[in-house]
Amino acid sequence: MIYRSPLPDVEIPGGTLTELVLGTAARHGGKPALVDGVTGETLTYAELAEGASAGAGGLAALGVGPGDVVGLLSHNQPRYALAVHAALGAGAAVTPMNPVLTAGEIGKQLRASRAKVLVTAEAVADKAADVAREHGIEHVYVLGEHDRARPFAELLAAGHPAPRPDLDPATAVAVLPFSSGTTGAAKGVRLTHRNLVANLVQTRAGWRVGPDDVQAAVLPFFHIYGFTIILHSGLLGGATVLTLPRFEPGAYLAALAEHHVTRAYFAPPMVLALANAPDVERYDLSALRYAFCGAAPLDVEVTERAERRLGCRIRQGYGMTEASPGTHQVYDDAFATTPAGSVGRLSPNTEARLVHPGTDTDVAPGEDGELLVRGPQVMLGYLDNPGATASTITGGWLHTGDIARVDDHGVFWIVDRLKELIKYKGYQVAPAELEAVLLSHPGVLDAAVIGVPHAEGGEAPKAFVVPRPGVEAGDVLAWVAERVAPYKKVRALEFVDSIPKSPTGKILRRVLKERG
């Protein structure tokens, strides 16, 4: 059975990502495109378009063009967008990197992507320069000033004309993110201009971002969620994108209030933090109309607590790096009628199936199954890994590795990661379900669940819990046991100071498994 979006298909433009999102920059002119929430630095639409064109000319003069890759190592800041579109304008692809990566991890990505140029933020310029030298990358530019890298502004000021690269948007890679590797080694994901252009116009059908909007961008641009859903949906709509380098509840709420943010984007740990943060109510958040959460399942009770404090509904979406990323969304006009805890309906031009894991056989209506998706946003494939590509995309269908269900109204619910399901005496136990129960305990600040070897059951749930002072492990175990079926009980519990997570909030279960 193939599920489809209730929205009609949209026409996918034929140009590049830069042509789509900056093609109307002249219309917006002096309107702020990006504002740094810490420093106040502002780039207008005109400055962004002109700077990207000049930067493309500067990169082209270095010999950068189609088939090349530019590494981008930075936190969220206005000049991030400038670097992206300078590289794309030259015909190159961008491989974005988390600035907290170790030198070894950065080097591994630069080597795998065969990056020719590295652009870095000031704060990590020393690390970037060391890695570039080790890997033979001659050209290192800094978004600002640093004595070990040339200012990116030099490329803009050089006066070289913008090139006109001959690209096929359907096959030319625009962005080369590396998947988070929550269940294994990270892989380079080849996203073409067409993939990203398609996803932007698809999601725009349901999320009507416009010039009156201000989008809060604290989720990192080096992750595809921040890159597409926040940064580029904002630029496409003519909104102002407010960049923030990191999430801290007080500073974040102050920024929302000061800049009259209308759309906020969360990962689950942010929602949990806002549900528990002191003094939320003293901030004027009256401009906030929509709040979205993605990257990992979000507990309904935590959602409702955060909603009451923010005065705004929070709804989830769904996607993955390999889908640019969006496949499911709660449309703006369906916020009030779509159940919390679901991920909404399919975006236009997107199809889905639910199959028995490891097969191509559809499950019966109403049953849980592995989610498969198909659409123009699905990646070209993994970098230099045809085997992984062939096992992930079969017959045009992308295997998400997530277990989902769909109701009679076409609303989808993510049950859990297929690879993270715990099998206890033959029963399948979803870690996300147990985590939701743990988070409902008043003495639990955060929690994660993994499967560990068990003498009787083969595998059993173990919980890692960040407790409030005075909480006893026995009380937490009893709390869970009273609220789940016997085979779902947590059999072991360990108190920890924090739960390891990716930058977008996914629990790094493999890290916990290494600890046992």
Side-chain angles (χ1 to χ4, degrees), residues 52 178 285 287:
F178 278 64
L285 305 179

Side-chain angles (χ1 to χ4, degrees), residues 54-69:
L59 287 171
L62 296 177
V64 175
D68 291 326
V69 175

